[in-house]
Amino acid sequence: MALTGLECLIPDSSRVIFDSNIEEKYLSDTLGRLRGRAKALVFPESTKEVSDIMKYAYEHKIPVTPRGAGTNLVGSTVPADGGIVLDLSRMNRVLEIDKDTFTATVESGVVLKDFQELVEQEGLFYPPDPGEKTATIGGNISTNAGGMRAVKYGVTRDYVRALTVVLPTGEVVEFGGKTVKNSSGYSLLNLMIGSEGTLGVITRAVLKLVPLPGKTVSLLVPFADMEQAIEMVPVIVEAQIQATAIEFMERETILFAEEYLGKRFPDTRNDAYILLTFDGRNAEQVRAEYQEVADLCLEHGALDVFIVDTQERKQSVWNARGAFLEAIKASTTQMDECDVVVPRDRVADFIKYTHEVAGILNLRIPSFGHAGDGNLHVYLCRDDLAEDEWKEKLSLGFEMMYARAREYGGAVSGEHGIGYAKKEYLKEQLGDTQIGLMRRIKKAFDPNLILNPDKVV
């Protein structure tokens, strides 16, 4: 496999690394349970450099795996067949904030947290809010990331107006534009969103912004058990009160976060909690909404309602919520995730079923997630299990839970994607016809099948 030609494409030799000099972190993902092989690691700094690299790879039929911050959880950033790892994290400029069209133009390596803070300084708001704030915008688009505010504002797809994409052949194309509406042919823009780097390399995006809410307040509501907590969600929805976020969490997960962060959570006395956020133009509007929800919760069995409105409480609650994944990871020797989504009215049933699975397999399975949109994050923990026993129980646990999700009309992934790890479960969900269509789309974009091979389909 001829890779020495890469050095001729990148003027700075320090941005091309070969073979054993490639750090381990570029060969895996956040969970670290999948490891790939790579012959070269390249750090492009422009769309033209990405185009030149892809032309070279296409001509020589060299596989290319694009990545940003590497926070993926399903192996999408793991190089499957050696070849080139294309790290876009240095393409990290915010090129424009256009207040006239409420859009921002950014390179794909811009970090979500940095971008959100920047636009808020301009009195604007970028609502997509996945838990991992150090992920890049390109990675968020590639997985159609959702997050806690999706129940009110939607997911990443709802905020992408245009993309600059380098195809596997090296051709550069522009999908979409700053216009609000577009009914011009097939939506190739939407096809790119959520494609996990298998159809093209996203180098630039035009993102929709909205006015920054004037006031935000959260409620932390304890319940005696998870079923009672989750059953509160449709009551809130039916009352036509638009919460920004509705999260559920179990006491065990909160305690992991306390230990991981070394900070106290406002309340850990109860088995189950829902965390709601409300935002609006002013304090009066927000107060009216959260007061109505607080009264509803107390009427339906809530044990208390804590108003999270001071900076200290906000940091305590949301820092803990943001640390749940890392806290669970730190509590065990190895773990894997079931990023399942089910209809809202089946969330309580599914969480109850995960407890049954944990008992059947004698396996620890903590969870948390977005009760407002039915997206659950369920973690299977290895703890002290031997390798063979862990693999057997992990496989059986996934089979049981994904089968139950299909029975409930759910899907295999709500926001983290399919990557390499969940391919077989996607096949079971979609069937041969849909998988066949997806494979033909992949072939149309990528005739030589070099871009992020062995992922999704």
Side-chain angles (χ1 to χ4, degrees), residues 262-422:
K263 296 179 180 179
R264 293 284 297 171
F265 196 75
D267 183 72
T268 57
R269 294 169 297 173
N270 301 286
D271 287 343
Y273 296 80
I274 58 173
L275 176 62
L276 304 103
T277 300
F278 304 87
D279 65 17
R281 294 187 304 275
N282 52 57
E284 290 73 21
Q285 177 193 352
V286 174
R287 187 182 301 112
E289 291 184 340
Y290 79 67
Q291 187 61 61
E292 187 175 352
V293 169
D295 292 341
L296 274 174
C297 289
L298 291 170
E299 288 172 15
H300 286 78
L303 301 174
D304 205 338
V305 174
F306 300 97
I307 300 175
V308 183
D309 55 354
T310 67
Q311 192 60 32
E312 182 181 359
R313 275 197 166 183
K314 285 180 180 178
Q315 287 183 344
S316 173
V317 170
W318 287 107
N319 286 351
R321 171 59 184 84
F324 280 172
L325 169 59
E326 290 301 320
I328 294 172
K329 184 179 177 182
S331 77
T332 188
T333 54
Q334 191 176 348
M335 72 178 191
D336 209 334
E337 184 197 32
C338 178
D339 165 42
V340 70
V341 60
V342 298
R344 274 191 298 225
D345 62 351
R346 304 314 295 266
V347 170
D349 293 333
F350 192 87
I351 292 300
K352 186 187 298 185
Y353 183 66
T354 67
H355 295 165
E356 292 177 19
V357 173
I360 292 169
L361 298 180
N362 192 23
L363 194 67
R364 191 162 59 89
I365 308 181
S367 63
F368 61 90
H370 316 308
D373 57 25
N375 185 193
L376 319 177
H377 301 307
V378 182
Y379 295 90
L380 291 79
C381 297
R382 178 176 176 177
D383 296 338
D384 297 326
L385 292 176
E387 179 74 14
D388 290 346
E389 187 179 6
W390 161 241
K391 288 183 176 179
E392 181 181 354
K393 290 188 175 185
L394 180 66
S395 177
L396 185 56
F398 275 140
E399 287 177 11
M400 293 170 71
M401 288 191 288
Y402 284 129
R404 184 58 59 96
R406 290 195 302 273
E407 179 184 326
Y408 289 164
V412 68
S413 176
E415 59 187 2
H416 293 165
I418 301 302
Y420 177 78
K422 312 302 181 191

Side-chain angles (χ1 to χ4, degrees), residues 78-99:
V78 176
D81 292 310
I84 301 167
V85 173
L86 194 64
D87 188 314
L88 299 156
S89 59
R90 298 191 188 187
M91 296 178 63
N92 57 5
R93 296 178 298 163
V94 176
L95 302 172
E96 179 189 50
I97 296 177
D98 186 344
K99 291 188 175 181

Side-chain angles (χ1 to χ4, degrees), residues 44-45 88-95 106-111 114 136 203:
E45 294 183 351
L88 299 156
S89 59
R90 298 191 188 187
M91 296 178 63
N92 57 5
R93 296 178 298 163
V94 176
L95 302 172
V106 305
E107 292 182 320
S108 60
V110 169
V111 172
D114 297 340
T136 61
T203 61

Side-chain angles (χ1 to χ4, degrees), residues 49-206:
E49 286 187 351
V50 174
S51 174
D52 290 342
I53 293 165
M54 290 310 306
K55 286 176 183 175
Y56 178 85
Y58 188 78
E59 179 183 345
H60 293 87
K61 296 186 177 180
I62 301 169
V64 177
T65 303
R67 62 177 281 141
T71 58
N72 177 260
L73 296 171
V74 292
S76 292
T77 57
V78 176
D81 292 310
I84 301 167
V85 173
L86 194 64
D87 188 314
L88 299 156
S89 59
R90 298 191 188 187
M91 296 178 63
N92 57 5
R93 296 178 298 163
V94 176
L95 302 172
E96 179 189 50
I97 296 177
D98 186 344
K99 291 188 175 181
D100 292 331
T101 61
F102 277 83
T103 62
T105 303
V106 305
E107 292 182 320
S108 60
V110 169
V111 172
L112 173 65
K113 180 177 183 292
D114 297 340
F115 176 61
Q116 289 177 324
E117 290 176 353
L118 180 63
V119 298
E120 287 180 18
Q121 291 170 12
E122 300 292 327
L124 299 169
F125 187 45
Y126 180 67
D129 191 40
E132 182 50 78
K133 304 299 187 292
T134 64
T136 61
I137 294 293
N140 287 170
I141 295 169
S142 294
T143 57
N144 188 30
M148 290 170 271
R149 293 194 285 245
V151 64
K152 177 176 181 178
Y153 287 104
V155 296
T156 298
R157 183 185 304 279
D158 301 306
Y159 294 87
V160 179
R161 288 281 176 79
L163 294 174
T164 300
V165 176
V166 178
L167 298 179
T169 58
E171 298 169 89
V172 180
V173 292
E174 304 283 343
F175 297 135
K178 288 187 177 182
T179 57
V180 176
K181 297 171 69 177
N182 187 342
S183 292
S184 307
Y186 298 150
S187 180
L188 299 177
L189 171 70
N190 276 291
L191 196 56
M192 292 301 306
I193 301 166
S195 63
E196 300 182 51
T198 61
L199 304 181
V201 181
I202 298 168
T203 61
R204 186 178 297 183
V206 177

Side-chain angles (χ1 to χ4, degrees), residues 225-242:
D225 56 58
M226 184 53 66
E227 186 172 4
Q228 194 175 26
I230 297 298
E231 286 175 351
M232 190 66 228
V233 176
V235 175
I236 295 169
V237 174
E238 288 169 13
Q240 299 183 16
I241 304 167
Q242 185 63 77

